[in-house]
Amino acid sequence: NVPEDQADKLLLANWGLPKVVLEKYHSLGVVQMFEWQAECLMLGQVLEGRNLVYSAPTSAGKTLVAELLILKRVLETRKKALLILPFVSVAKEKKCYLQ
């Protein structure tokens, strides 16, 4: 569980994302994360580029964790990222979404 003193980490607004990114998530109804998602992002040095392996059922929110990690790293390091998706239809959807 997320420690009580870090409960504010459940809110997307507290992760240092640009306003335009937050507005997009908010327009989709995504204002906060589940506890397990915040836990993933707070593990070790994940936000500094260390590896993370996690597993969750379909539609549990795995993509949000990946997106936040990618966005943070791209914005902070000004480097490119590679996002591999399982289907062309999903890749097209994500391309439009991330643009």
Side-chain angles (χ1 to χ4, degrees):
N1 292 335
V2 175
E4 210 173 294
D5 62 331
Q6 294 185 344
D8 62 328
K9 289 291 187 181
L10 296 177
L11 297 174
L12 290 182
N14 294 330
W15 284 90
L17 297 169
K19 184 178 178 182
V20 68
V21 172
L22 285 174
E23 287 172 355
K24 179 64 175 176
Y25 278 119
H26 290 175
S27 74
L28 298 169
V30 181
V31 176
Q32 67 180 35
M33 295 180 266
F34 295 118
E35 284 186 20
W36 75 265
Q37 292 169 314
E39 286 176 37
C40 284
L41 295 173
M42 292 188 289
L43 282 174
Q45 296 176 321
V46 172
L47 290 173
E48 285 78 40
R50 300 295 296 191
N51 294 329
L52 171 67
V53 177
Y54 58 105
S55 176
T58 301
S59 297
K62 296 181 295 289
T63 302
L64 180 62
V65 173
E67 287 175 6
L68 291 177
L69 286 171
I70 289 170
L71 286 167
K72 293 275 295 166
R73 293 290 294 165
V74 166
L75 294 170
E76 290 171 3
T77 65
R78 302 306 238 183
K79 293 183 179 181
K80 295 179 181 180
L82 177 64
L83 177 60
I84 299 172
L85 299 164
F87 304 106
V88 172
S89 60
V90 175
K92 287 181 179 179
E93 178 184 313
K94 253 330 140 185
K95 177 186 168 227
C96 293
Y97 174 79
L98 291 171
Q99 283 178 332

